[in-house]
Structures are given as C-alpha cells and as structure tokens.
Amino acid sequence: MHGGSLQTRGGDWFGSLPLGTKSVLLLNVCLYVSCVLFGYDAFHEVCMAPHWVLHQLQVYRILTAPLFHGGIIHLAFNMTAFVPMASSLERLLGSVQFCHIVFLFVALSSCFHVALAVVAGALGFNAMHECAIGFSGVVFGVIVVDTHLQMVPRRSVFGFFSVPSQYYPVSLALFLQVIIPSVSFLGHLAGLLAGSAYVNGYLNPLLLRQTTIETLEGNPRASAISTHPSFVAGGASADASPGAGGAAFPAIFGGGGGAVLTGGAQSGDAQATRWWQMPTFARRNVPDSQEAFANGRARTA
C-alpha cells in the first residue's frame, strides 16, 4: 500500500508539471540513464572545454555539455533545483516561450563560459583546459529569474544564512564553490550572467513575438503538442505591456532592470527604460490588486 501510494503521488506530481519543464526533465534523465545502460563515460568528448571550442571549433559542446551529468547526485541536485522554478516560469511565459528561453540559456551560458575562461586564462588560471558538464549553468540562470519574480527582501542559502535577494544567486554560487570545490565556478557564473542579461531585458530582441507564438501554437503539425493537457498556451511575450519585476542581481549591465510597482504607478527608472531593456515576463498588464506584490507574497505564476 505504501509503495503504491508513493507511486501514485509521484505520478500525480509528474503529471502536474508543465510540458516544457517535463520535457527538459525527461531529456536529462533519459540521457543519463542511457549513459549508464550503455556504459558511456567519455565525457571529455562532450564537455564544455573552452580550448577545444575556440581552437578546434568544436562548437557542438555548447549544446552537449549542459545535457550530460557525472552521477546520479549531480543529476538529482540540478533537476531538484530546476523543476520547481521552471514550472512557475513556464506557467507565466507559456510553453513555447519557455522552451525558447531555456535554449537561449543553454547557448548563452556556454558562450559566457568560454568568454570567462578566456579572461581567466589571461589572468593566469588554467580555465581554458577545464572540462565541465551539467545543467547547472541553466539552473543558475533560472535562479536569477526566480529571484526577480519572488520580490522578497532576503533569501536563505540552504538555511545557513540569509542575504539580500539581489545577492542571493551569486552568494549561492560562492557557497556551493566552498562546500564542493570540484564544481565549475565559471559554469555557474556563466549561468548567472545569462539570467542577469535576461532579467535586465537584453535578450528581448531574441525572444519570440506574440504573433510568432500564436503561429507556432496554431500550426496543424504541432496540434499534438499544443493540445496536450500539460501544454501552457500563450503567456508573456516581447509584445506585452510593461509591468512589475524586482531586483534579482547587482546591476552589472548598467541600467536594464525591471520596475517595481509602487503605489499603482511605475517608477521613474522604469518609465525611462527602453522597451528592449524591459524583462519580457515583467511586461504585462498591471494587476487590479498590488498588495501581494508589496508584501512579497506573490510569485506572479
């Protein structure tokens, strides 16, 4: 009975996940299981190795490195962190835009990783020859977005201490580096930069417009996907109207950030921000009641 109950709860939990989040989870798990079953452990062939990407043009590593994991704990840690945050984000953005953003985070975090390795190499570190795998770059990008959406003043780092929310993502990365020195700090930092670029709105020119989303969702060839019970239609797009967003990362890009609603109006900084600097998930109609945002209770999901 107990085992059946756990199986039922597990099935209910998995069935409740949005389609994009569920697909990312399945892709990572199935790829790991396949590696175990077929005995594949030649991760040097697929890892993020900046030297090989730049000097041997092995650009496929940009896409392969995030999808492989070195062990079940590595996989479980990344997916446990990713799934709850990704589910909320997908329900806000819609499945099409969410999957597009995950792809952007995969590509952009890997590119940032290479760029950071070049800088670190110039400073005398052996970063160009590291070999990193795992989805944690994307996870840290989503952490930045989730922190932006939470709009709470402080967040706890594994219950050990709390920090101001805008410093939570980088504090988490530093804390993990201290307790697990073997993790790729550059990979985590690259994810933070990708997430920060997004919440500051610098990825908006790369995001899908509402007309594009509607075209994709209405394509008869995609009907099996768009009619799936877990599919989240519509959502925010780069065409939506301005709305709310909180600080999620120190302003290292010089002026993007989302606007926090105060007293029913946008701040002056938000009004001065160009459209392409507004985070797409924050560009939506202002809700009738803003009390939840003021107390930091709402996730806007």
Side-chain angles (χ1 to χ4, degrees), residues 232-294:
V232 182
S237 75
D239 298 322
S241 57
F249 198 74
I252 60 174
F253 285 95
V260 179
L261 295 178
T262 54
Q266 297 177 30
S267 67
D269 291 341
Q271 295 174 346
T273 304
R274 297 183 176 90
W275 69 268
W276 51 269
Q277 291 179 318
M278 291 295 294
T280 187
F281 56 78
R283 295 170 56 80
R284 57 183 175 274
N285 293 329
V286 178
D288 295 334
S289 172
Q290 298 167 16
E291 180 182 359
F293 289 96

Coordinates of all heavy atoms in Angstrom, one line a residue, residues 232-294:
V232 N 1.1 24.8 -21.9 CA 0.7 26.1 -21.5 C 0.7 27.0 -22.6 O 1.7 27.4 -23.2 CB 1.6 26.6 -20.4 CG1 1.1 28.0 -19.8 CG2 1.7 25.6 -19.2
A233 N -0.5 27.4 -23.1 CA -0.7 28.3 -24.3 C -0.4 29.7 -23.9 O -0.6 30.1 -22.7 CB -2.0 28.1 -24.9
G234 N -0.1 30.5 -24.9 CA 0.0 31.9 -24.7 C 1.2 32.3 -23.8 O 2.3 31.9 -23.9
G235 N 0.9 33.1 -22.8 CA 1.9 33.6 -21.9 C 2.4 34.9 -22.3 O 2.0 35.6 -23.3
A236 N 3.4 35.4 -21.6 CA 4.0 36.7 -21.8 C 4.9 36.6 -23.1 O 5.5 35.6 -23.4 CB 4.8 37.2 -20.6
S237 N 5.0 37.7 -23.8 CA 5.9 37.8 -24.9 C 6.6 39.1 -24.9 O 6.3 40.0 -24.1 CB 5.2 37.6 -26.2 OG 4.4 38.7 -26.5
A238 N 7.5 39.3 -25.9 CA 8.1 40.6 -26.0 C 7.2 41.7 -26.5 O 7.6 42.9 -26.5 CB 9.3 40.5 -27.0
D239 N 5.9 41.4 -26.8 CA 5.0 42.4 -27.2 C 4.1 42.9 -26.0 O 3.3 43.8 -26.2 CB 4.1 41.9 -28.3 CG 4.8 41.5 -29.5 OD1 5.8 42.3 -29.9 OD2 4.5 40.5 -30.2
A240 N 4.2 42.2 -24.9 CA 3.3 42.6 -23.8 C 3.6 43.9 -23.2 O 4.6 44.6 -23.5 CB 3.5 41.5 -22.7
S241 N 2.6 44.4 -22.4 CA 2.7 45.8 -21.9 C 3.5 45.8 -20.6 O 3.6 44.7 -19.9 CB 1.3 46.3 -21.6 OG 0.6 45.5 -20.7
P242 N 4.2 46.9 -20.2 CA 5.0 46.9 -19.0 C 4.3 46.5 -17.8 O 3.1 46.8 -17.6 CB 5.5 48.4 -19.0 CG 5.4 48.9 -20.4 CD 4.2 48.2 -20.9
G243 N 5.1 45.9 -16.8 CA 4.5 45.5 -15.5 C 5.6 45.6 -14.5 O 6.4 46.5 -14.4
A244 N 5.6 44.5 -13.6 CA 6.4 44.6 -12.4 C 7.6 43.6 -12.5 O 7.5 42.6 -13.1 CB 5.6 44.3 -11.2
G245 N 8.6 43.9 -11.7 CA 9.7 43.0 -11.6 C 10.6 43.5 -10.5 O 10.8 44.7 -10.4
G246 N 11.3 42.6 -9.7 CA 12.1 43.1 -8.6 C 13.6 42.9 -9.0 O 13.9 42.1 -9.9
A247 N 14.5 43.5 -8.2 CA 15.9 43.3 -8.4 C 16.3 41.8 -8.1 O 15.8 41.2 -7.2 CB 16.7 44.2 -7.4
A248 N 17.1 41.3 -9.0 CA 17.5 39.9 -8.9 C 19.0 39.7 -8.9 O 19.5 38.6 -8.7 CB 16.8 39.1 -10.0
F249 N 19.7 40.7 -9.2 CA 21.2 40.6 -9.4 C 21.8 42.0 -9.4 O 21.1 42.9 -9.9 CB 21.5 39.9 -10.7 CG 22.8 39.3 -10.8 CD1 23.2 38.1 -10.1 CD2 23.8 39.8 -11.6 CE1 24.4 37.6 -10.2 CE2 25.1 39.3 -11.7 CZ 25.4 38.1 -11.0
P250 N 23.0 42.2 -8.9 CA 23.6 43.5 -8.9 C 23.6 44.0 -10.4 O 23.8 43.3 -11.3 CB 25.0 43.3 -8.4 CG 24.8 42.1 -7.5 CD 23.8 41.2 -8.2
A251 N 23.4 45.3 -10.5 CA 23.2 45.9 -11.9 C 24.6 46.0 -12.6 O 25.1 47.1 -12.7 CB 22.6 47.3 -11.7
I252 N 25.1 44.9 -13.1 CA 26.4 44.9 -13.7 C 26.3 45.3 -15.2 O 27.3 45.5 -15.8 CB 27.0 43.5 -13.6 CG1 26.1 42.5 -14.3 CG2 27.3 43.2 -12.2 CD1 26.8 41.1 -14.3
F253 N 25.1 45.3 -15.7 CA 24.9 45.7 -17.2 C 24.6 47.1 -17.4 O 24.4 47.6 -18.5 CB 23.8 44.8 -17.8 CG 24.3 43.4 -18.0 CD1 24.0 42.4 -17.1 CD2 25.0 43.1 -19.2 CE1 24.4 41.1 -17.3 CE2 25.4 41.8 -19.4 CZ 25.1 40.8 -18.5
G254 N 24.4 47.9 -16.3 CA 24.3 49.3 -16.4 C 22.9 49.8 -16.9 O 22.8 50.4 -17.9
G255 N 21.9 49.5 -16.2 CA 20.6 50.1 -16.4 C 19.5 49.3 -16.9 O 18.5 49.9 -17.3
G256 N 19.4 48.1 -17.0 CA 18.3 47.4 -17.5 C 17.2 47.2 -16.5 O 16.2 47.6 -16.6
G257 N 17.2 46.5 -15.6 CA 16.3 46.0 -14.5 C 14.8 46.3 -14.7 O 14.4 47.2 -15.2
G258 N 14.0 45.4 -14.1 CA 12.6 45.6 -14.1 C 12.2 46.6 -13.1 O 12.8 47.0 -12.2
A259 N 10.9 47.1 -13.3 CA 10.4 48.1 -12.5 C 9.5 47.5 -11.4 O 8.7 46.7 -11.6 CB 9.6 49.1 -13.3
V260 N 9.7 48.0 -10.2 CA 8.9 47.6 -9.0 C 7.7 48.5 -8.9 O 7.8 49.7 -9.0 CB 9.6 47.6 -7.7 CG1 8.8 47.1 -6.6 CG2 10.9 46.7 -7.8
L261 N 6.5 47.9 -8.8 CA 5.3 48.8 -8.7 C 5.2 49.4 -7.3 O 5.3 48.7 -6.3 CB 4.0 47.9 -8.9 CG 3.9 47.3 -10.3 CD1 2.6 46.4 -10.4 CD2 3.8 48.4 -11.4
T262 N 5.0 50.7 -7.3 CA 4.8 51.4 -6.0 C 3.6 52.3 -6.1 O 3.6 53.2 -6.9 CB 6.1 52.2 -5.7 OG1 6.4 53.1 -6.8 CG2 7.3 51.3 -5.5
G263 N 2.7 52.1 -5.3 CA 1.5 53.0 -5.2 C 0.7 53.0 -6.5 O 0.1 54.0 -6.9
G264 N 0.7 51.9 -7.3 CA -0.1 51.8 -8.5 C 0.6 52.5 -9.7 O 0.0 52.6 -10.8
A265 N 1.8 52.9 -9.6 CA 2.5 53.5 -10.8 C 3.9 52.9 -10.9 O 4.5 52.5 -9.9 CB 2.6 55.0 -10.6
Q266 N 4.4 53.0 -12.1 CA 5.8 52.6 -12.3 C 6.7 53.6 -11.8 O 6.5 54.8 -11.8 CB 6.0 52.3 -13.8 CG 5.1 51.1 -14.3 CD 5.4 50.9 -15.8 OE1 6.5 51.2 -16.3 NE2 4.4 50.5 -16.5
S267 N 7.9 53.2 -11.5 CA 9.0 54.1 -11.0 C 9.5 54.9 -12.2 O 9.3 54.5 -13.4 CB 10.1 53.3 -10.4 OG 10.8 52.6 -11.4
G268 N 10.2 56.0 -11.9 CA 10.7 56.8 -13.0 C 11.8 56.1 -13.8 O 11.9 56.3 -15.0
D269 N 12.5 55.3 -13.1 CA 13.5 54.5 -13.8 C 12.9 53.6 -14.8 O 13.4 53.3 -15.9 CB 14.4 53.6 -12.9 CG 15.3 54.5 -12.0 OD1 15.5 55.7 -12.4 OD2 15.7 54.0 -10.9
A270 N 11.7 53.0 -14.5 CA 11.0 52.1 -15.4 C 10.5 52.8 -16.6 O 10.6 52.3 -17.7 CB 9.9 51.4 -14.7
Q271 N 10.0 54.0 -16.4 CA 9.5 54.8 -17.5 C 10.6 55.2 -18.4 O 10.3 55.4 -19.6 CB 8.7 56.0 -16.9 CG 7.5 55.7 -16.1 CD 6.9 56.9 -15.5 OE1 7.5 58.0 -15.4 NE2 5.7 56.7 -14.9
A272 N 11.8 55.4 -17.9 CA 12.9 55.8 -18.8 C 13.5 54.6 -19.5 O 14.4 54.8 -20.4 CB 13.9 56.6 -17.9
T273 N 13.2 53.4 -19.1 CA 13.8 52.2 -19.7 C 13.3 52.0 -21.1 O 12.1 52.0 -21.3 CB 13.6 51.0 -18.8 OG1 14.0 51.3 -17.5 CG2 14.3 49.8 -19.3
R274 N 14.1 51.7 -22.0 CA 13.7 51.4 -23.3 C 13.0 50.0 -23.3 O 13.2 49.2 -22.5 CB 14.9 51.3 -24.3 CG 15.6 52.7 -24.4 CD 16.7 52.6 -25.4 NE 17.3 53.9 -25.7 CZ 18.4 54.4 -25.0 NH1 18.8 53.6 -24.0 NH2 18.9 55.5 -25.2
W275 N 12.1 49.8 -24.4 CA 11.3 48.6 -24.4 C 12.2 47.3 -24.4 O 11.9 46.3 -23.8 CB 10.5 48.6 -25.7 CG 11.2 48.4 -27.0 CD1 11.7 49.5 -27.8 CD2 11.6 47.2 -27.6 NE1 12.3 49.0 -28.8 CE2 12.3 47.6 -28.8 CE3 11.5 45.9 -27.3 CZ2 12.9 46.7 -29.7 CZ3 12.0 44.9 -28.2 CH2 12.7 45.3 -29.3
W276 N 13.4 47.4 -25.1 CA 14.2 46.2 -25.2 C 15.0 45.9 -24.0 O 15.7 44.9 -23.9 CB 15.2 46.4 -26.4 CG 16.0 47.6 -26.5 CD1 15.6 48.8 -27.1 CD2 17.2 47.8 -25.9 NE1 16.6 49.7 -26.9 CE2 17.6 49.2 -26.2 CE3 18.1 47.0 -25.1 CZ2 18.8 49.7 -25.7 CZ3 19.3 47.6 -24.7 CH2 19.7 48.9 -25.0
Q277 N 14.9 46.8 -23.0 CA 15.6 46.6 -21.7 C 14.6 46.1 -20.7 O 15.0 45.8 -19.5 CB 16.2 47.9 -21.2 CG 17.4 48.3 -22.0 CD 18.0 49.6 -21.5 OE1 17.3 50.5 -21.2 NE2 19.4 49.6 -21.5
M278 N 13.3 46.0 -21.0 CA 12.3 45.5 -20.1 C 12.2 44.0 -20.1 O 12.1 43.4 -21.2 CB 10.9 46.1 -20.4 CG 10.8 47.6 -20.1 SD 11.0 48.0 -18.4 CE 9.6 47.3 -17.7
P279 N 12.4 43.3 -19.0 CA 12.2 41.8 -19.0 C 10.9 41.4 -19.5 O 9.9 42.0 -19.2 CB 12.4 41.5 -17.5 CG 13.0 42.6 -16.9 CD 12.6 43.8 -17.6
T280 N 10.9 40.5 -20.4 CA 9.6 40.1 -21.1 C 8.6 39.6 -20.1 O 7.4 39.8 -20.3 CB 9.9 39.0 -22.2 OG1 8.7 38.8 -22.9 CG2 10.4 37.7 -21.6
F281 N 9.0 38.8 -19.1 CA 8.0 38.3 -18.1 C 7.4 39.4 -17.3 O 6.3 39.2 -16.7 CB 8.6 37.2 -17.2 CG 9.8 37.7 -16.4 CD1 9.6 38.4 -15.3 CD2 11.0 37.3 -16.9 CE1 10.8 38.8 -14.6 CE2 12.2 37.7 -16.1 CZ 12.0 38.5 -15.0
A282 N 8.1 40.6 -17.2 CA 7.5 41.7 -16.4 C 6.7 42.6 -17.3 O 6.1 43.6 -16.7 CB 8.7 42.4 -15.7
R283 N 6.6 42.4 -18.6 CA 5.9 43.3 -19.5 C 4.5 42.8 -19.7 O 4.2 42.1 -20.7 CB 6.6 43.4 -20.8 CG 8.0 44.1 -20.7 CD 8.8 43.9 -21.9 NE 8.0 44.5 -23.1 CZ 8.0 45.8 -23.4 NH1 8.6 46.7 -22.6 NH2 7.3 46.2 -24.4
R284 N 3.6 43.0 -18.7 CA 2.3 42.5 -18.8 C 1.4 43.6 -18.1 O 1.8 44.5 -17.5 CB 2.1 41.2 -18.1 CG 2.6 41.2 -16.7 CD 2.4 39.8 -16.1 NE 3.0 39.7 -14.8 CZ 4.3 39.5 -14.5 NH1 5.1 39.4 -15.5 NH2 4.7 39.5 -13.2
N285 N 0.1 43.4 -18.2 CA -0.9 44.3 -17.6 C -0.7 44.4 -16.1 O -0.5 43.4 -15.5 CB -2.3 44.0 -18.0 CG -2.5 44.1 -19.5 OD1 -1.9 45.0 -20.1 ND2 -3.4 43.3 -20.0
V286 N -0.9 45.6 -15.5 CA -0.8 45.7 -14.1 C -2.0 45.1 -13.4 O -3.1 45.3 -13.8 CB -0.8 47.2 -13.7 CG1 -0.7 47.4 -12.2 CG2 0.4 47.9 -14.4
P287 N -1.8 44.2 -12.4 CA -3.0 43.6 -11.8 C -3.8 44.6 -11.0 O -3.4 45.6 -10.6 CB -2.3 42.6 -10.8 CG -0.9 43.1 -10.6 CD -0.5 43.8 -11.9
D288 N -5.1 44.2 -10.8 CA -6.0 45.1 -10.1 C -5.5 45.3 -8.7 O -5.6 46.4 -8.1 CB -7.4 44.5 -10.1 CG -8.0 44.4 -11.4 OD1 -7.6 45.2 -12.3 OD2 -8.8 43.5 -11.7
S289 N -5.1 44.3 -8.0 CA -4.6 44.4 -6.6 C -3.1 44.2 -6.6 O -2.6 43.2 -7.0 CB -5.3 43.4 -5.7 OG -4.7 43.4 -4.4
Q290 N -2.4 45.1 -6.0 CA -0.9 45.0 -5.9 C -0.4 44.8 -4.5 O 0.8 44.8 -4.2 CB -0.3 46.3 -6.4 CG -0.7 46.6 -7.9 CD -0.3 48.0 -8.3 OE1 0.4 48.7 -7.6 NE2 -0.9 48.4 -9.4
E291 N -1.3 44.5 -3.6 CA -1.0 44.3 -2.2 C 0.0 43.1 -2.1 O 1.0 43.1 -1.3 CB -2.2 44.0 -1.3 CG -1.9 43.8 0.1 CD -3.1 43.5 0.9 OE1 -4.2 43.5 0.4 OE2 -3.0 43.3 2.1
A292 N -0.3 42.0 -2.8 CA 0.5 40.8 -2.7 C 2.0 41.1 -3.2 O 2.9 40.6 -2.6 CB 0.0 39.7 -3.6
F293 N 2.1 42.0 -4.2 CA 3.4 42.3 -4.6 C 4.1 43.2 -3.6 O 5.3 43.0 -3.4 CB 3.3 43.1 -6.0 CG 2.9 42.3 -7.1 CD1 1.6 42.2 -7.5 CD2 3.9 41.5 -7.8 CE1 1.2 41.5 -8.6 CE2 3.5 40.8 -8.9 CZ 2.2 40.7 -9.3
A294 N 3.4 44.0 -2.9 CA 4.0 44.9 -1.9 C 4.6 44.1 -0.8 O 5.6 44.4 -0.2 CB 3.0 45.9 -1.4

